């Protein structure tokens, strides 16, 4: 099928129609930057053809060279046969206007905390320039640590991850943004290897939060991501419980903890009925990210 397509598909419009049909036929799952076959095909083809990612229309009826068709069809075929998320095929992921390098050593960046950092966590942080120390737990590719450094220009950022592979990817991204003097990468299981004398104005985390039942039901695309970055025990709260027990001792007076927990709001509130969670508004709703002030957290 793909061999014949090399001869029959002449324009970008032809390739897009073919790609969407094949994606739908294959029953691909989307959720790593796009949520439908059309957007995924547009992204992959524009990237492969070195065209602007936000300018499809002028190029739709442009004829492609034989080499361009071959390269475009190869990435479409690979997406279908290997069920790789698009970000692993292009080695890039976007959070807003910010691009990050990714590969299969890290989870594909996607976090509601990113949009909250764009707003500098207003109104919960009154003066972004006064934020001096930030900790990013489970940093993965380093994307949230980098966004925190951009949001809080005077802050020193500690970015923690248990995976040496993830930290290697994060190091590349920190270097790309020329933030090596402000973002320190730390190999640690949550707080365990973080300097016990360090205190933070802000702790953020997008930790693993997929529960056991959901892990068993994951589509193939999500199974291509590191299990360490997804699985969080029977109810998805294994890491969050540790953070709630230990964060107070790591925060400055008035400091805040911001954690993303996916679809686990009801489970978390049932597990911690005495904690006064503040649920932050995101474009997807107010049930995915919570905030607690230091004074609201339990003693260890």
């Amino acid at each position: 099928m793909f061999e014949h397509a090399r001869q029959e598909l002449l324009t970008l419009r032809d390739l897009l129609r073919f790609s969407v049909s094949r994606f739908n036929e294959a029953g691909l799952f989307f959720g790593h930057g796009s949520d439908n076959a059309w957007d995924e095909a547009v992204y992959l083809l524009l990237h492969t053809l070195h065209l602007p990612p936000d300018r499809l229309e002028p190029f739709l009826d442009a004829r492609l060279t034989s080499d361009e068709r071959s390269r475009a069809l190869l990435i479409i075929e690979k997406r279908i046969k290997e069920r790789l998320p698009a970000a692993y095929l292009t080695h890039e992921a976007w959070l807003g206007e910010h691009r990050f390098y990714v590969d299969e050593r890290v989870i594909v960046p996607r976090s509601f905390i990113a949009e909250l950092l764009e707003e500098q966590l207003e109104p919960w942080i009154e003066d972004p320039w006064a934020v001096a120390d930030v900790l990013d737990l489970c940093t993965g590719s380093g994307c949230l640590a980098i966004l925190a450094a951009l949001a809080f220009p005077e802050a020193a950022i500690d970015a923690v991850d248990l995976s040496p592979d993830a930290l290697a990817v994060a190091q590349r991204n920190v270097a790309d943004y020329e933030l090596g003097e402000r973002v320190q990468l730390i190999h640690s299981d949550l707080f365990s290897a973080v300097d016990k004398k360090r205190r933070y104005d802000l702790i953020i985390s997008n930790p693993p939060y997929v529960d056991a039942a959901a892990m068993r039901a994951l589509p193939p695309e999500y199974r291509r991501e590191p299990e360490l970055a997804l699985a969080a025990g029977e109810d998805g709260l294994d890491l969050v419980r540790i953070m709630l027990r230990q964060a107070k001792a790591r925060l400055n007076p008035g400091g805040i903890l911001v954690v993303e927990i996916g679809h686990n709001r009801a489970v978390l509130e049932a597990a911690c009925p005495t904690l006064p969670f503040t649920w932050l508004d995101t474009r997807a709703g107010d049930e995915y990210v919570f905030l607690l002030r230091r004074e609201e957290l339990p003693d260890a």
Side-chain angles (χ1 to χ4, degrees):
M1 178 185 298
F2 282 85
E3 194 58 44
H4 289 305
R6 285 180 172 82
Q7 309 302 321
E8 299 170 358
L9 304 176
L10 302 179
T11 67
L12 179 55
R13 189 186 299 273
D14 293 339
L15 271 171
L16 274 170
R17 197 285 306 158
F18 176 82
S19 301
V20 172
S21 295
R22 299 291 76 76
F23 284 176
N24 288 331
E25 179 183 43
L28 299 188
F29 190 90
F30 308 102
H32 294 92
S34 60
D35 61 5
N36 61 82
W38 169 262
D39 287 344
E40 186 112 330
V42 167
Y43 166 67
L44 285 172
L45 291 174
L46 289 178
H47 181 277
T48 303
L49 297 171
H50 305 290
L51 293 170
D54 57 349
R55 297 193 62 196
L56 171 65
E57 200 65 35
F59 306 107
L60 270 173
D61 294 309
R63 291 169 68 103
L64 279 65
T65 68
S66 175
D67 179 63
E68 286 176 327
R69 284 197 302 275
S70 294
R71 285 190 287 111
L73 286 168
L74 181 63
I75 201 166
I76 296 302
E77 185 176 22
K78 196 169 185 179
R79 174 69 180 90
I80 292 169
K81 289 188 174 180
E82 298 185 27
R83 300 296 289 265
L84 280 168
Y88 291 156
L89 295 169
T90 62
H91 293 304
E92 69 173 21
W94 294 80
L95 290 175
E97 63 182 21
H98 299 286
R99 177 191 178 276
F100 301 96
Y101 172 84
V102 295
D103 60 34
E104 291 174 74
R105 292 175 291 176
V106 294
I107 192 171
V108 177
R110 49 189 183 274
S111 176
F112 298 117
I113 294 176
E115 65 182 80
L116 298 170
L117 289 172
E118 287 178 13
E119 302 167 356
Q120 299 173 301
L121 279 167
E122 185 182 19
W124 310 106
I125 290 179
E126 295 181 3
D127 181 4
W129 292 85
V131 176
D133 296 283
V134 177
L135 175 63
D136 176 24
L137 293 173
C138 308
T139 196
S141 61
C143 55
L144 292 184
I146 290 167
L147 293 180
L150 298 177
F152 309 114
E154 296 296 320
I157 317 294
D158 285 345
V160 166
D161 207 282
L162 180 60
S163 166
D165 283 343
L167 289 172
V169 175
Q171 183 61 60
R172 176 168 178 166
N173 283 315
V174 169
D176 285 347
Y177 279 85
E178 299 181 344
L179 287 169
E181 292 186 359
R182 293 181 53 211
V183 178
Q184 178 186 13
L185 300 173
I186 301 172
H187 181 222
S188 178
D189 186 357
L190 296 181
F191 297 102
S192 62
V194 178
D195 184 349
K196 289 180 170 53
K197 297 179 181 179
R198 287 279 279 151
R199 298 293 180 270
Y200 300 93
D201 303 313
L202 169 66
I203 298 175
I204 58 174
S205 184
N206 181 22
Y209 53 65
V210 182
D211 64 40
M215 283 296 299
R216 290 191 291 270
L218 284 179
E221 282 83 351
Y222 283 95
R223 293 190 178 278
R224 300 308 297 263
E225 297 183 292
E227 184 176 346
L228 182 66
L230 296 170
E234 191 62 32
D235 65 359
L237 298 180
D238 281 6
L239 276 73
V240 175
R241 285 188 176 90
I242 297 171
M243 291 181 203
L244 291 174
R245 289 197 304 268
Q246 299 182 1
K248 184 172 186 175
R250 301 302 186 117
L251 284 166
N252 287 320
I256 59 176
L257 171 70
V258 176
V259 180
E260 183 168 334
I261 60 158
H263 296 279
N264 291 333
R265 175 173 176 171
V267 177
L268 179 62
E269 290 181 326
C272 307
T274 63
L275 290 183
F277 296 106
T278 296
W279 295 94
L280 303 185
D281 287 323
T282 71
R283 286 187 281 271
D286 65 351
E287 57 189 76
Y288 304 105
V289 181
F290 72 77
L291 177 150
L292 287 168
R293 297 188 182 278
R294 179 187 184 277
E295 293 70 24
E296 297 169 334
L297 285 160
D299 294 321

